[in-house]
Amino acid sequence: MGVLLYLVPAALTLGLLGLGAFMWSLRSGQYEDLDGAAVRVLADDDLADGEPAVGAGRR
Amino acid sequence: MGAQVIALPAAARRAPVAAPAGEATQDYSLFLRHDPGGETEMAFAVEGIDCAACIDEIEDGAEALPGVARARLNYTTHRLTVGWQAGAEAKPAELLAALARLGYRAYPFEADRLEEIENATSRHLLRCLAVAGFAMMNIMLLSVSVWSGNVTDITPETRDFFHWLSALIALPAAAYAGQPFFQSAFRALKARSLNMDVPITLGVLLALGVSVFETLNSAQHAYFDSAVMLLFFLLTGRYLDHAMRRKTRAEAGNLAALKATRANRIEPDGSLVTVPAAAIRPGDEVMLRAGERAPVDGVVLSGAAAVDESLVTGETLPRAVAAGESVHAGSLVHDGVLRLRTTAVGEDTFLDEIERLLDRASTARGRYIRLADRAARLYAPMVHTTALLSLIGWLVAGASVHHAVLIAVAVLIITCPCALALAVPAVQVVAAGALMRAGVLLNSGDTFERLAEVDTVAFDKTGTLTLPEPRLANEDAVPAHLLDVAARLALASTHPLARAVALARPGAVAPAELAEVPGAGVEGEIDGVPARLGSPVFCRCEALAARIAAGAPDASLVAVRLGEECAVLKVRQALRPDARAVIDTLRRAGRHVVLISGDRREAVAPVAAELSIEDWWAEARPADKIAVLDSLSAARRRVLMVGDGLNDAPSLASAHVSLSPITAADVTRAHADAVFLGERLAPVLTALAVSARARHLMRQNLMIAVIYNFIAVPLAIAGYVTPLVAALAMSGSSVIVTLNALRARLGTRGGN
């Protein structure tokens, strides 16, 4: 049963990491605008004007 | 690629909207927030956001302005927050103009304190939910090992280790995630009453206590997983309930900003400044022009005008006011200019009588007990008695104290209202979403339950059965070319009746040279022929007007003259386009329909006749309306009141449940249980249909929870409930109830 000595702490640490990540996302306001996040992913604001979007050139 | 496909047509089709009236200086200082770093921030509610491309367009448009440091649009709540750089002067008017050029109407917005509190509570619930979820998953991992070990070859040492580890996770987690329930239960007990949180708290604490005791004694079973799972499911229900209320509140906040009235304040130096009505203080002088609504209560200092008080009293004929007389907030100025000294602002603008009636009506309303609370009141004592009886029963039957206590705790855990706590909120969330899509916004969570019980619908006339703005009534009887002339002339006037005439010919162009004769009408030349639009006297056709007036006592008359020809136009409050259909449908569904109006008999009778409503009351003062509602409820009828005027506010508050159109007076909207958008009356039907379905599902869910208890409780009393059985039963019933709630959505989609 020696395996438990490192498996249990490992499992707990992973869980706590997940919890910490959730708390961070909550605090940084990522749950304030759920609909907006869904559509902002479509925005091309990282491209300079005139540069074609990826995929558009393939047609 | 997809974004561009969407973006281009959206941008191309959007036409600029008219910029907000700009003749007077605008003062937005009330809405600006200064942070310690020197930045200035202001929030706006934005209208007309309908696609993903709007986000970029609005944010880029705002950030292009000089001095703007950042602009962030919240797509969910349709609110834009703009920050101005430290040192730069904030220019909200410039921003509003820029957005208007892009085709969006924006309104200064101030989040109210209540919304802030709701947001904070919601975030706290989500944190609790996260902690409970983390604890539940990790403990379940350990518990499953113990359960499978118990039937195979786990050593007592390993089992104890796992139980101690579970305790280490469960105790702090429950202490944190259980706060909402512990606090609420404590408050209830302090007030010497019981709510749903009392059995929950008791169940969780006992389960944890017994588990620690069992762990100390190296027993086979511990209930840490049940306690934490219980908290997780209950918090889910609580969060859903909260999310629904928060969403409707955000929506209501936007509406308040969109509807916020502006006032023209006369500064001490005589200049005119446009400020939000909230910035006006009693004693300030305010200018009111034709076509504007009074933002405050006031006494006329100078000027004379006809004011339409239909929103205040329901009376449709305008009243003439002169210096020394008082004007109430919500009155619409027909013609002329008034200078008012403000006597009351904001909440204080209630008429005394209305305020008194409102107080009385709202206390009466407080007596309604929600379905879930009614269930809780029945439930809590029953659960505790059952647990106590099984404890005594087992002791009498000769079991050890230890064994008897374990069984009593198992009963408490298994009866903990997991499904019960999810049964109502889950349905509410789904149904509120369905209603929101249909254009009905809820003010309170128990609206569904009360709407579903309605068997009588009482309508107000002015602004509810009829459209809030008057319409031309005899379009067919007027020669077409005269109507064209009338519409062109009407464009030049701000008189509300002129607006109704202009609406009859949407594409009309105003003639170049026009003169407005105060109190009479407009005069100009069309194709070289002199033309006039205004009162019958002004157009010299009194005889024709008198003949038409005899046949339509409830209409206002506007005359038009072109050279030698003349015609008289009847303008009156037109029925909502689907009023007849809605009332017929209500009647077919077996609901009693009544009409209660504050307007004159001659104006109410034709409407009642047209809609074939047999029971109607006219010239009803607010107290009379309440008396009618009381007599209906004395006859054991559950009344839905639909109204919009300030005079309806007390009756809306005293009716079993109430609805008001979005155009209603502010006070009235605040007292209605739900608000509906648009020109049609159909949302009333949708609201009734969705709530009937929602209540049916809520009851069904409560029934499922009861059946679950009927199966689970005897098992627990007999002593067969191990932690494994408890876990399966709890999650099973919760999932069934949630899935059942989703059917509220399926039903409405078919209905639309």
Side-chain angles (χ1 to χ4, degrees):
Chain A
M1 283 294 132
V3 69
L4 287 177
L5 286 180
Y6 59 86
L7 270 187
V8 167
L12 278 181
T13 314
L14 282 177
L16 279 174
L17 272 180
L19 184 64
F22 178 78
M23 290 297 184
W24 168 78
S25 66
L26 186 63
R27 191 164 313 227
S28 61
Q30 297 190 29
Y31 290 84
E32 305 286 313
D33 184 13
L34 292 174
D35 296 350
V39 295
R40 269 175 203 275
V41 76
L42 297 172
D44 290 330
D45 50 2
D46 52 338
L47 301 178
D49 284 341
E51 188 180 338
V54 180
R58 243 184 269 153
R59 296 182 62 186
Chain B
M1 161 102 212
Q4 289 186 335
V5 173
I6 301 167
L8 292 176
R13 114 184 98 78
R14 195 172 288 284
V17 292
E23 32 188 305
T25 331
Q26 307 263 330
D27 177 9
Y28 294 108
S29 52
L30 191 73
F31 296 104
L32 290 171
R33 282 191 306 269
H34 302 274
D35 66 1
E39 274 198 3
T40 321
E41 202 179 69
M42 184 165 160
F44 302 86
V46 187
E47 230 182 1
I49 299 179
D50 50 10
C51 64
C54 303
I55 301 181
D56 266 356
E57 220 181 329
I58 291 175
E59 289 182 352
D60 293 349
E63 280 172 353
L65 293 175
V68 174
R70 68 202 143 79
R72 179 86 185 173
L73 181 79
N74 186 324
Y75 190 68
T76 316
T77 54
H78 291 188
R79 286 180 195 162
L80 176 71
T81 313
V82 177
W84 280 271
Q85 282 152 7
E89 194 198 345
K91 290 185 186 133
E94 215 170 68
L95 187 93
L96 289 179
L99 289 180
R101 274 197 304 278
L102 290 172
Y104 301 94
R105 232 182 267 276
Y107 303 84
F109 170 83
E110 192 182 24
D112 60 349
R113 231 171 49 80
L114 224 71
E115 202 180 317
E116 295 284 328
I117 296 173
E118 294 262 333
N119 285 348
T121 320
S122 175
R123 274 197 299 273
H124 181 235
L125 277 176
L126 206 55
R127 275 201 300 273
C128 290
L129 188 65
V131 169
F134 157 78
M136 180 183 78
M137 283 187 275
N138 281 285
I139 295 174
M140 202 45 86
L141 210 67
L142 299 168
S143 297
V144 170
S145 325
V146 174
W147 296 335
S148 54
N150 273 345
V151 292
T152 50
D153 59 346
I154 196 169
T155 59
E157 293 77 32
T158 316
R159 190 169 59 214
D160 280 357
F161 173 63
F162 278 10
H163 280 167
W164 278 117
L165 211 55
S166 303
L168 191 72
I169 303 169
L171 294 179
Y176 183 80
Q179 283 173 49
F181 306 103
F182 302 159
Q183 280 162 5
S184 153
F186 184 67
R187 271 198 302 274
L189 286 178
K190 219 162 69 176
R192 294 175 182 284
S193 71
L194 281 179
N195 60 9
M196 197 70 112
D197 293 330
V198 175
I200 291 171
T201 305
L202 210 62
V204 168
L205 291 182
L206 273 175
L208 288 174
V210 165
S211 304
V212 171
F213 181 77
E214 293 286 280
T215 307
L216 281 170
N217 290 328
S218 314
Q220 273 206 331
H221 296 303
Y223 293 89
F224 291 115
D225 48 303
S226 307
V228 178
M229 196 199 287
L230 199 62
L231 284 178
F232 180 75
F233 280 128
L234 294 171
L235 281 167
T236 310
R238 198 73 41 116
Y239 179 74
L240 286 180
D241 189 37
H242 218 84
M244 180 200 77
R245 275 187 286 150
R246 198 162 68 113
K247 197 161 177 189
T248 54
R249 192 174 297 281
E251 203 69 45
N254 281 0
L255 285 176
L258 264 45
K259 292 263 307 176
T261 39
R262 272 186 278 275
N264 300 310
R265 188 170 62 195
I266 306 171
E267 301 291 291
D269 62 1
S271 63
L272 209 58
V273 176
T274 304
V275 294
I280 299 282
R281 298 279 160 265
D284 283 353
E285 284 184 22
V286 174
M287 174 84 89
L288 266 185
R289 287 166 299 199
E292 292 179 345
R293 266 189 206 283
V296 292
D297 282 2
V299 178
V300 180
L301 291 176
S302 62
V307 294
D308 171 358
E309 296 184 316
S310 63
L311 205 53
V312 184
T313 58
E315 165 71 58
T316 41
L317 281 193
R319 175 174 74 101
V321 293
E325 290 184 71
S326 61
V327 172
H328 198 270
S331 310
L332 179 69
V333 180
H334 264 199
D335 50 15
V337 175
L338 292 176
R339 200 181 161 114
L340 296 184
R341 154 129 4 90
T342 309
T343 51
V345 294
E347 294 257 302
D348 299 332
T349 57
F350 297 172
L351 297 170
D352 280 349
E353 186 196 6
I354 290 191
E355 188 175 6
R356 191 171 47 76
L357 291 171
L358 262 181
D359 277 353
R360 221 176 45 204
S362 340
T363 44
R365 167 72 70 74
R367 273 185 252 125
Y368 183 81
I369 307 162
R370 287 170 173 226
L371 194 60
D373 289 343
R374 259 182 293 174
R377 273 187 201 185
L378 217 75
Y379 195 76
M382 222 158 72
V383 167
H384 293 155
T385 323
T386 318
L388 193 69
L389 284 180
S390 48
L391 176 74
I392 296 172
W394 277 95
L395 283 179
V396 170
S400 68
V401 177
H402 175 230
H403 190 67
V405 167
L406 266 188
I407 285 174
V409 169
V411 170
L412 271 184
I413 293 176
I414 206 91
T415 52
C416 242
C418 250
L420 218 53
L422 274 173
V424 173
V427 176
Q428 276 179 351
V429 171
V430 180
L435 276 188
M436 212 175 270
R437 279 191 299 278
V440 182
L441 307 172
L442 298 176
N443 269 347
S444 63
D446 54 356
T447 308
F448 292 118
E449 298 167 23
R450 284 182 282 128
L451 265 178
E453 292 171 354
V454 164
D455 56 9
T456 305
V457 186
F459 286 100
D460 169 46
K461 181 183 76 76
T462 319
T464 307
L465 282 178
T466 66
L467 289 166
E469 306 288 338
R471 291 282 167 95
L472 196 58
N474 62 341
E475 203 168 320
D476 304 335
V478 179
H481 68 284
L482 281 181
L483 193 56
D484 289 342
V485 171
R488 292 182 65 182
L489 290 170
L491 281 175
S493 172
T494 50
H495 195 287
L497 291 179
R499 248 185 271 164
V501 174
L503 273 180
R505 286 280 187 276
V509 184
E513 298 224 348
L514 280 177
E516 182 149 16
V517 184
V522 273
E523 192 174 17
E525 276 201 357
I526 286 183
D527 305 331
V529 186
R532 279 182 166 191
L533 175 78
S535 67
V537 180
F538 179 63
C539 298
R540 301 190 310 278
C541 52
E542 295 97 318
L544 180 63
R547 215 166 55 235
I548 289 185
D554 60 326
S556 306
L557 301 182
V558 182
V560 56
R561 170 170 288 277
L562 177 69
E564 290 308 302
E565 292 176 279
C566 78
V568 173
L569 315 173
K570 277 195 290 187
V571 176
R572 74 164 119 197
Q573 307 247 313
L575 284 178
R576 285 186 188 257
D578 58 346
R580 164 109 228 176
V582 166
I583 290 194
D584 286 346
T585 316
L586 283 174
R587 214 178 279 127
R588 266 202 308 280
R591 292 193 168 95
H592 188 56
V593 179
V594 301
L595 173 59
I596 315 175
S597 175
D599 207 353
R600 292 157 300 134
R601 286 192 87 76
E602 308 86 75
V604 181
V607 173
E610 193 178 342
L611 298 170
S612 37
I613 296 174
E614 282 161 17
D615 293 341
W616 55 272
W617 287 265
E619 289 165 41
R621 303 195 42 74
D624 303 335
K625 291 196 177 196
I626 292 190
V628 171
L629 293 180
D630 283 349
S631 72
L632 285 171
S633 67
R636 305 196 66 75
R637 291 192 167 277
R638 309 278 196 177
V639 185
L640 161 66
M641 174 81 197
V642 190
D644 77 319
L646 190 64
N647 60 334
D648 293 317
S651 38
L652 287 178
S654 74
H656 188 59
V657 58
S658 51
L659 276 173
S660 78
I662 187 63
T663 47
D666 293 349
V667 180
T668 312
R669 251 180 323 145
H671 280 89
D673 291 303
V675 175
F676 64 92
L677 310 173
E679 278 205 343
R680 304 169 67 82
L681 213 50
V684 175
L685 289 181
T686 320
L688 287 172
V690 171
S691 353
R693 194 170 170 83
R695 188 181 61 157
H696 177 68
L697 285 170
M698 283 180 200
R699 292 210 158 156
Q700 215 170 47
N701 272 350
L702 289 176
M703 209 58 210
I704 292 174
V706 167
I707 290 173
Y708 149 81
N709 275 322
F710 263 111
I711 300 168
V713 171
L715 282 179
I717 294 178
Y720 289 125
V721 170
T722 59
L724 174 64
V725 174
L728 285 179
M730 265 196 282
S731 37
S733 66
S734 299
V735 168
I736 291 176
V737 165
T738 312
L739 287 180
N740 194 35
L742 289 178
R743 296 200 307 144
R745 190 186 178 107
L746 295 179
T748 53
R749 198 172 287 159
N752 284 344

